[in-house]
Amino acid sequence: MADIFAYVPHKVGVVEDIAYEYPDAAAKIDTGAAVTAIVTGTGADLDKACETLTGYYKEVIKVDQAELSYPNAEIIRKVLVNIVPAGAIVLAPHDTFGMDLAPGLSVKMDAGYAADIVDIEGTDGSDLKLVRQELGGAVSTHVTCDSSSGAVLTIRPGAFTPAEDASAGGSVTDKSGDAGDLSSKRTFVEVVEAEVGDVDITKSDVLVSIGRGIEDEENIEVAQELADAMGAVVSCSRPIVDAKWLEKSRQVGTSGQTVKPKVYLAMGISGSFQHMGGVKGNPFIVAVNKNAKAPIFQVADVGIVEDILDFMPELTEAIEDL
Amino acid sequence: MEILVCVKRVPDTAENEFELNSDGNDLDRDDLVYSVNEWDNYAVEEAIQIVDDKGGNVTVVTVGDDESEEVLRREMAMGANNGVLLSDDAFEGADGKGIAGILKAEIESGKYDLILTGAQADEGAGQVGGMLAAMLDLPYASLVNKIEVIDDSKISVGREIEGGNQEMNEIELPCVLSIQTGINEPRYVGIRGIRKVASVEIPVKGASDLGVDPAVVGADGAKTKRVDYFVPELGDGAEMLEGSTEEIIEKLIEKLKAKGGL
Ligand SMILES: Cc1cc2nc3c(=O)[nH]c(=O)nc-3n(C[C@H](O)[C@H](O)[C@H](O)COP(=O)(O)OP(=O)(O)OC[C@H]3O[C@@H](n4cnc5c(N)ncnc54)[C@H](O)[C@@H]3O)c2cc1C
């Protein structure tokens, strides 16, 4: 099988968790494959990231250039095309960076492409046997990706088992000189931090979280009444914020807040990985959904098939009567 | 500004309960409700707003079958000026690169300043925009949640990144952007609006019109292939509470008390 190269993003030298998950993904392609981490950036931050990575990878390639101090996918794509040998398999995270980088990389490498991989079942000749999901997690699919001229895969964060043993004792190869042309028609300007809202959902032990199942802005009151009765706070999924029914600071998920409550009530939420990616600390999850097949029931502790608009007021009343 | 928006007809996740067919290898598609991909409505709305402000035209394009025409009409009812349907039996089985290759041919037959796609569609891959940009050698930004036109040659775009933060960039035109939900509030389309565009001619182009090779963009050229659909067995799943609503609430309250929810 081809060699595997794993692109590792980092923030000021702290590598992202996906770095620990790539080795499991690579082993599921081929237990014997050589896996090389690639990390880009500049100065002490980059060296710190390399130091961490040598614990988990035998070989680490670093590319140190001032232009790479912020991870602009347009530039990093060019670097990878220069550094990764033809025919290799490249792993990237399926997140806001990987989605920016990887599809175009597969075109430039003339390689196969498969996104958001949740499991890998080995190979069949040059075909990689992959598992992914469609329709917001409602169904899974087996997919093959022909890697005979290389492949680019984006890996879902959290889907593979993180490596714990940091004893790889790897070495770092400096390929800064091979980076090539670092110009770009897209220039990074700044990061604007998310606005802080009036309610901090991350501080609450109990969240009543509403999704598209709430159907109408006026119905949010019903959830607020339940939250009041429970001494909880109302949070939500993304469509509620997109519709401007609640502030962005109430959104749970990868592009919203990460919460660690004791109890999480998911009301009319389907359970997409971007939403559940913001629910951490193993809370007790109660899901109420009118669709018995909703993916949320695979991750919840307790499931109830009901219409939330009928169920929430009755639950509120019962709690108030306690 | 001449803007092209790539759209897709998809099964509506809010309207369907997905079941496998009797062979267990595909969705049971008989009674599925389809609509335009959620992300695409935001892309079309953004394009219309830019053109309202700066002048120009919005063209919507899709690769699909005859039934995909309805999503083009819907987006034209929103305010897109033109629609183009790219359709050919030879496109069946195309993977993301195949679709991008078909779109590329159409884009090269016109002259566009800005090409938009939704950030992702039903397959959740989010791949076509980035592939298209690479094939056209144009700059790309994904997950765009803000656009401001600076002048004829560049725009400012915000990208959504983790934690709800926004990454601001300047990007040269022409470029390809994938649009994230929440960038605007897509306008409502009523029956009346759809009726108005019901008789507008929508050109249909096939492989030979576009000059694309079916062996490259169709099933034969696809490196990525879906083998089947399945429903995974994920651990034990939730303990489902059953009975009358009253009984369910009683059981739930006991559990909430035990777990610190009350
Ligand atoms: C890059 C990226 C980042 C993202 N970040 C986030 C994020 O941070 N947070 C987030 O939440 N999403 C995020 N998303 C969006 C995510 O993919 C899903 O689209 C979203 O989470 C769906 O929200 P939902 O579950 O409320 O809606 P849906 O998926 O539409 O689910 C609604 C559910 O409600 C049920 N329902 C409907 N009516 C009722 C009723 N009356 N009673 C009971 N049940 C009912 C339905 O059966 C369905 O299961 C992101 C997407 C992308 C591409």
Side-chain angles (χ1 to χ4, degrees):
Chain A
M1 203 61 301
D3 287 345
I4 300 175
F5 291 81
Y7 183 80
V8 177
H10 66 97
K11 278 198 191 75
V12 291
V14 179
V15 302
E16 303 219 339
D17 287 348
I18 193 81
Y20 310 110
E21 295 158 15
Y22 287 140
D24 181 37
K28 284 184 161 172
I29 296 172
D30 175 6
T31 45
V35 191
T36 304
I38 303 181
V39 59
T40 62
T42 188
D45 287 347
L46 179 59
D47 289 334
K48 186 177 160 199
C50 288
E51 203 181 301
T52 309
L53 290 173
T54 50
Y56 299 87
Y57 296 84
K58 284 227 153 52
E59 294 191 48
V60 177
I61 291 176
K62 76 163 182 179
V63 182
D64 186 335
Q65 293 285 355
E67 289 90 336
L68 299 170
S69 60
Y70 184 85
N72 179 341
E74 293 279 284
I75 303 178
I76 292 170
R77 191 181 308 117
K78 287 180 159 182
V79 171
L80 292 177
V81 170
N82 287 329
I83 290 201
V84 175
I89 294 169
V90 179
L91 308 181
H94 191 74
D95 61 9
T96 61
F97 171 78
M99 290 174 83
D100 214 31
L101 170 85
L105 179 65
S106 76
V107 169
K108 294 298 182 192
M109 288 178 56
D110 199 18
Y113 185 69
D116 191 20
I117 303 306
V118 299
D119 199 4
I120 300 174
E121 298 175 342
T123 56
D124 179 5
S126 63
D127 276 353
L128 306 175
K129 295 168 73 180
L130 311 167
V131 179
R132 52 189 313 283
Q133 297 181 330
E134 293 190 11
L135 299 163
V139 288
S140 294
T141 68
H142 290 105
V143 170
T144 58
C145 179
D146 177 2
S147 68
S148 55
S149 66
V152 176
L153 308 180
T154 60
I155 303 296
R156 179 179 296 185
F160 291 85
T161 311
E164 281 168 7
D165 178 15
S167 62
S171 59
V172 179
T173 309
D174 186 343
K175 295 221 172 173
S176 308
D178 298 344
D181 169 24
L182 300 173
S183 66
S184 169
K185 290 182 174 171
R186 175 176 132 198
T187 322
F188 166 70
V189 180
E190 61 172 341
V191 170
V192 181
E193 302 273 332
E195 273 171 40
V196 183
D198 53 358
V199 179
D200 187 351
I201 61 169
T202 66
K203 295 259 155 63
S204 182
D205 277 342
V206 186
L207 290 172
V208 174
S209 209
I210 51 172
R212 203 173 344 233
I214 199 78
E215 288 173 14
D216 215 313
E217 186 169 11
E218 283 143 38
N219 297 332
I220 292 177
E221 217 178 287
V222 178
Q224 187 59 54
E225 281 161 9
L226 174 59
D228 290 345
M230 296 179 73
V233 161
V234 173
S235 58
C236 65
S237 70
R238 180 175 181 120
I240 306 303
V241 173
D242 286 342
K244 313 261 186 306
W245 294 349
L246 287 174
E247 284 188 317
K248 178 90 182 161
S249 59
R250 299 245 190 184
Q251 181 188 319
V252 174
T254 55
S255 61
Q257 306 278 343
T258 299
V259 296
K260 290 181 182 166
K262 287 200 182 104
V263 174
Y264 191 76
L265 268 59
M267 297 291 183
I269 292 176
S270 63
S272 71
F273 84 92
Q274 289 106 342
H275 183 77
M276 298 316 295
V279 183
K280 295 272 153 96
N282 199 20
F284 182 69
I285 301 177
V286 178
V288 184
N289 198 300
K290 66 180 183 188
N291 175 4
K293 295 215 166 75
I296 185 93
F297 290 132
Q298 289 163 1
V299 291
D301 296 286
V302 164
I304 297 167
V305 182
E306 290 255 4
D307 186 321
I308 56 168
L309 299 176
D310 301 330
F311 187 78
M312 286 198 293
E314 287 200 43
L315 179 59
T316 306
E317 212 171 294
I319 291 171
E320 281 170 346
D321 288 348
L322 286 179
Chain B
M1 192 151 344
E2 291 300 313
I3 308 179
L4 182 78
V5 189
C6 309
V7 302
K8 185 178 182 189
R9 178 175 180 265
V10 300
D12 191 329
T13 47
E15 298 287 331
N16 294 299
E17 293 188 18
F18 296 101
E19 310 243 4
L20 299 187
N21 66 4
S22 51
D23 290 343
N25 57 1
D26 192 8
L27 297 178
D28 185 353
R29 295 183 185 269
D30 288 349
D31 300 313
L32 285 188
V33 179
Y34 285 80
S35 59
V36 64
N37 175 39
E38 181 183 359
W39 280 264
D40 302 344
N41 278 332
Y42 290 88
V44 171
E45 176 66 37
E46 196 63 18
I48 293 170
Q49 289 186 16
I50 294 171
V51 163
D52 281 350
D53 193 28
K54 306 282 170 192
N57 287 288
V58 179
T59 301
V60 285
V61 62
T62 190
V63 181
D65 54 16
D66 295 348
E67 290 181 284
S68 292
E69 205 195 87
E70 76 189 26
V71 303
L72 294 175
R73 275 193 211 285
R74 189 198 175 279
E75 304 309 80
M76 289 169 76
M78 277 178 81
N81 307 85
N82 313 300
V84 187
L85 174 61
L86 310 180
S87 189
D88 197 313
D89 290 345
F91 297 161
E92 206 146 304
D95 63 2
K97 268 193 195 161
I99 300 291
I102 296 162
L103 290 166
K104 170 180 182 261
E106 171 60 19
I107 291 165
E108 286 176 334
S109 76
K111 197 176 175 333
Y112 296 100
D113 305 295
L114 190 56
I115 295 142
L116 306 181
T117 70
Q120 63 174 35
D122 53 339
E123 293 177 26
Q127 59 190 353
V128 169
M131 290 177 171
L132 200 48
M135 288 177 183
L136 293 162
D137 259 321
L138 293 178
Y140 176 61
S142 64
L143 297 161
V144 169
N145 62 5
K146 184 180 182 141
I147 300 180
E148 263 171 38
V149 178
I150 299 173
D151 57 36
D152 286 349
S153 65
K154 60 179 182 305
I155 58 177
S156 160
V157 301
R159 289 188 61 238
E160 180 179 280
I161 54 173
E162 267 66 29
N165 298 333
Q166 189 182 41
E167 178 197 280
M168 298 305 300
N169 296 269
E170 267 183 32
I171 186 163
E172 289 178 25
L173 296 174
C175 69
V176 181
L177 307 176
S178 86
I179 302 297
Q180 176 62 309
T181 57
I183 184 172
N184 53 39
E185 292 178 67
R187 66 197 66 190
Y188 176 76
V189 180
I191 299 282
R192 274 241 224 88
I194 304 262
R195 262 197 222 125
K196 262 194 194 154
V197 295
S199 56
V200 178
E201 185 85 20
I202 294 183
V204 183
K205 299 188 187 175
S208 59
D209 305 309
L210 293 165
V212 294
D213 181 356
V216 177
V217 298
D220 289 347
K223 288 188 169 170
T224 305
K225 294 190 167 86
R226 185 193 302 113
V227 180
D228 65 6
Y229 285 93
F230 68 102
V231 178
E233 307 243 347
L234 272 188
D236 301 333
E239 176 196 343
M240 302 304 287
L241 300 187
E242 277 155 15
S244 68
T245 304
E246 242 166 77
E247 288 161 3
I248 289 174
I249 285 178
E250 204 173 303
K251 288 181 210 165
L252 177 60
I253 286 179
E254 286 317 306
K255 289 187 186 291
L256 288 174
K257 277 186 183 160
K259 299 291 177 180
L262 285 173

